[in-house]
Amino acid sequence: MIKRDINRVDANRRTILNPARKQFATKAVEGEYTHRLNFYKDTPKGDITLEQFEQWAIDRLRVLAELEACQFRNKNSVETAAHMKPLLDKYLPLSASTLNSPSIQSERQKDHYSHFILRLAFSSTEDLRRRFARVETSLFRIRFQADDARERQSFVENMGLEWETVGDEEKMALSEELRAAGGGYPKRMEDESWFKVDWEKVPELVEGRRVFLKGGKAYVPGREQLGLVVPEFNSRLEKALEVTSRALPRLDEDDRLTPILNHLSQNFTTPDASYNSSTTSLHGADISARNVDGLSSSFPICMQHLHRSLRRDAHLKHYGRLQYTLFLKGIGLNLEECLVFWRTGFSKITDDQFNKEYRYNVRHAYGDVGGDGNRRGNGYSPFSCQKILMEHPPGPGEAHGCPYRHFSMDNLSALLQQVGVKDQEVLRGVKEDKEKQKFHLACNRVFDYVHKQEIKKVKDDGTWTSNQLETLVHPNEYFKRSYLLKNLDKVPKVEQGDVEMKG
Amino acid sequence: MPHSTAIREDGAMLVDAGNENAHMETTEVTAAPVSEGNGESQESNGLDNDITMADVGVEGANIPQIKDEAKPDLKLEDLFADIDSDEEFPSSTGQDMKVAPSSPPETNFHVGPSSRASDPEVMRSFYQRLFPWRYLFQWLNHSPTPSKDFGHREFAFTLQNDAYLRYQSFPTFETLRKDVLRLMPSRFEIGPVYSTNPRDRKTLRKASAFKPIAKELCFDIDLTDYDDIRTCCDKANICNKCWQFITMAIKVIDVALRDDFGFKHIMWVYSGRRGAHAWVCDKKTRLMDDQKRRAIAGYLEVIKGGAQSDKRVNVKRPLHPHVARSLDTLKSHFQHDILQDQDPWETDEKFDRLIKLLPNQALKDALRKKWSSAPGRASKAKWADIDVLAKTTKGLDGQALLEAKQDIVLEYTYPRLDIEVSKKLNHLLKSPFVVHPGTGRVCVPIDTRNLNAFDPLAVPTVTELLADIDEWTESGEDSKDGKRIQDWEKTSLKPYVEYFRSFVLSLMKDEMGTTTKVKREQDDNGIEF
Ligand SMILES: [Zn+2]
């Protein structure tokens, strides 16, 4: 998608981003980046090509999408940092100042610019703004923690935060209180410095009585900086995004940027931007209308249930059709085949009725019709588990949703047995998961059970990495992994765990 | 997808709420919004659960009994959790109330010896002649001219038949007064200021447009939370001995709010029976979100766990300055009010608790032996025994003993807050100056400058007040210096109303000072905004 738009405007032309109308200034001279970390206070002032504009944004988006997936998988900060390291090194490296690397300035420029480009892309709705701020804050936290102590200190001092350093005289006068509030730390007052901030800035420290309070001011020791800097980063970014969103309409004048920005934001609309709907890695798979029955044994139970309901009733209600259509699209069923699938599936109605009532919806989901935005974005993204769990719980007669969540235990158990999961221990586990509302664990438990032998094999062979066997959080991932495991002999190489933009 | 629009619009709220949850609690992504189809987060759940309840009330006076705890599905807790726990009034009260005429004539009601606080005529006279409506209005409005601070404020009425009406709001105090006289609630509560008028919340297209935006920070201290260490009285009863718990609590909390957090406008109010409420009214405080309220609550909370917990005080050493200061304040109370007046470890099963909290097995054994052989030995003597026997106990860790003793002092004296009241912006709390239906006492403000002198048992009851007026009328005088004497001025409610008035005045002064300042700044800045 992006390529087409770029070609239209001559990719090699230098893009001048005018500050009067845009977020960028025309001045070509860029100041040196003295710090590795960036609070993104100043908007970029240099020129970049449209290609850079796009590529840098996509690279950052890969990182952010994966970071959000980590949050979704409930990784702790140490696990997240470890998981993100290779991706960060690849797409958004930031060398320490002490390394004197020749690429330091260009790395920092890319980090700086890509952040601002994504600000443009993600400021349009409140939901996007909140998610963007959250995931950027998380990125900042990882980097802040990885920074070496001296560089971090110098960065903090240059941030221009409204923190008043507690002077020596006051420090000595309050030494007893300050030390007591720090749980006896530090032994020698000279070993620590304190900031004075409004207590509202550090609610967590106040709540845990980890700071001394006086007259509404909290006395924060230097070692609690992270707790101060990170919320500050977050709140500033949220405010800045708010401002950007108000400035956004003016950007519409530029028909070169708008499509890119729209595309970027569409790829961030579900927490699983990490899911790659392209099926190139499923070589040789027969993804066709007539083969859906055969493939359905690799579907997660939510989709199997939709499939069985369709076959039983020759009909599905609206949300069921939507959930299933997008899933089928995600496994690589093309639009024509999908139309065939639904036409034959709805066997009790006439062609005329089908064309009038259903055809359009399927085409719309594929981005074949609809507004510019819809077509450019290839329609909707397949639903993630989160979306299925959270949105539109099924009503009477509706077959969509997540059976682990939306079915009673009896019905769920019956369904599982119908699809061949009869092991009492697995069923008991599912019951416990459901009671604890760990629906995705239940689903993964069933997956592991159904693919027990194959998983053992790839583990023993060492052909799959643990990344490739990570908790499933998307029905299409479920299918893809299931298919690959069941066709180990046919599919030579697997590309997983990497983020790709579709289009 | 043309025909999905309606559903989607309808579902839009759900979608947002779901996401919200997912973002706030990544740990429980799948678990968050289980309250079927209602993914609203805790903070805002008053907003959509009201449908069953509030509607019932708006219609009029004949409201069925809706307090039905047997139906858990309705999430009644969200509505009823807000009711002050002080109030389990006897079921006989208010059951046989007559429905009052809708606009009562000015009554000249006389109080006889048989008059009771729950008598509708008594209550009517009180609301009509004594309740300080104007000051209440100014207190909540922060200015003499009606504003949204008052107009968008939620009031909730508890009617005589126990029905509970939420989301009442009034443009002026006259309209509030009128409705109170019409409905004759046994009491009413004050909730937050909302972004739009609470009465209009149903007509809004987006439910999110109706949200609580400001409320005083409140604290609730109730003597029932002290029942495991209170020996003089139990349940609803109080005396001056156990009131000392409240006195200590007010001292400790008040100084922390002022010195540590820098709050200025703090009003303590007697809850009418066995507790006190605090209202922190500074503008900055009113605008705090729940996270900040939680932070303050956490900062002040020292006693954790129920009476069954092994150890209810777990504080870091060295003691945080707030805890150290509190301990200093509480030490003398401990000697007098606890050891002497409450005598909490008099009997065998009671001193068990004390021994449990001490370190060193040898010391424990020695103490147990000594106390078992001297039944009825006073707590004060027992407390002294600890140090005496410690001296001869081998291998005793002096520091550990000191800390254990400090923890015991805290456990027996540190304020026990009903912390949930403080954590949420949208919590409702009983209004000052309403009458407690059980005791008939007025919920008067407590003058903290003279805290030790406050005697809950001397707080006037509504019947006493009406008698005061009658007495005054007999003496004749009705005006002074050409001004009509207000009815409250003729009664023992006078000092309390005057205190309230001066509190409100100083709050308004500060507030109006800031408003004019802000205005001037805006003028100076021109269009900078
Ligand atoms: Zn008592």
Side-chain angles (χ1 to χ4, degrees), chain A residues 343-354:
Chain A
R343 179 63 205 97
T344 49
F346 281 24
S347 53
K348 293 181 196 158
I349 61 168
T350 63
D351 279 345
D352 195 34
Q353 203 181 347
F354 180 81

Side-chain angles (χ1 to χ4, degrees), chain B residues 122-138:
Chain B
V122 171
M123 286 311 297
R124 183 181 318 286
S125 296
F126 174 75
Y127 284 136
Q128 217 160 34
R129 309 179 67 171
L130 290 167
F131 195 94
W133 296 108
R134 182 183 300 277
Y135 302 136
L136 182 91
F137 164 79
Q138 290 174 346

Side-chain angles (χ1 to χ4, degrees), chain A residues 2 8 13 33 54 108 164 173 281 323 429 433 467:
Chain A
I2 292 172
R8 195 154 52 83
R13 206 174 98 206
Y33 295 93
E54 183 193 2
R108 292 176 185 180
E164 193 187 327
S281 49
Q323 180 175 326
D433 294 336
N467 263 3

Side-chain angles (χ1 to χ4, degrees), chain A residues 36 94-101 104 107-108 146-148 151:
Chain A
R36 176 176 172 268
L94 272 185
S95 311
S97 303
T98 45
L99 286 181
N100 279 324
S101 149
I104 278 189
E107 283 173 6
R108 292 176 185 180
D147 223 356
D148 89 65
E151 197 163 358

Side-chain angles (χ1 to χ4, degrees), chain B residues 178-222:
Chain B
K178 216 173 128 202
D179 243 26
V180 167
L181 287 171
R182 181 173 68 84
L183 295 166
M184 294 293 289
S186 57
R187 62 163 184 192
F188 61 89
E189 291 169 342
I190 296 170
V193 180
Y194 283 91
S195 50
T196 50
N197 191 323
R199 291 198 191 265
D200 297 339
R201 73 196 183 287
K202 291 295 172 54
T203 59
L204 298 169
R205 285 187 58 221
K206 279 177 70 185
S208 59
F210 179 66
K211 55 180 179 222
I213 51 175
K215 210 198 104 222
E216 292 74 11
L217 171 69
C218 294
F219 293 92
D220 180 9
I221 309 164
D222 191 300

Side-chain angles (χ1 to χ4, degrees), chain A residues 278-291:
Chain A
S278 107
T279 53
T280 44
S281 49
L282 294 184
H283 295 293
D286 175 16
I287 312 278
S288 61
R290 96 190 108 72
N291 199 31

Side-chain angles (χ1 to χ4, degrees), chain A residues 134 209 211 215 361 386 405 437, chain B residues 1 22-23 33 259 299 320:
Chain A
R134 199 166 53 105
R209 283 198 294 269
V211 283
N361 284 0
Q386 191 195 17
R405 168 155 190 205
Q437 299 173 350
Chain B
M1 313 250 138
H23 294 311
D259 292 2
Y299 181 85
H320 182 277

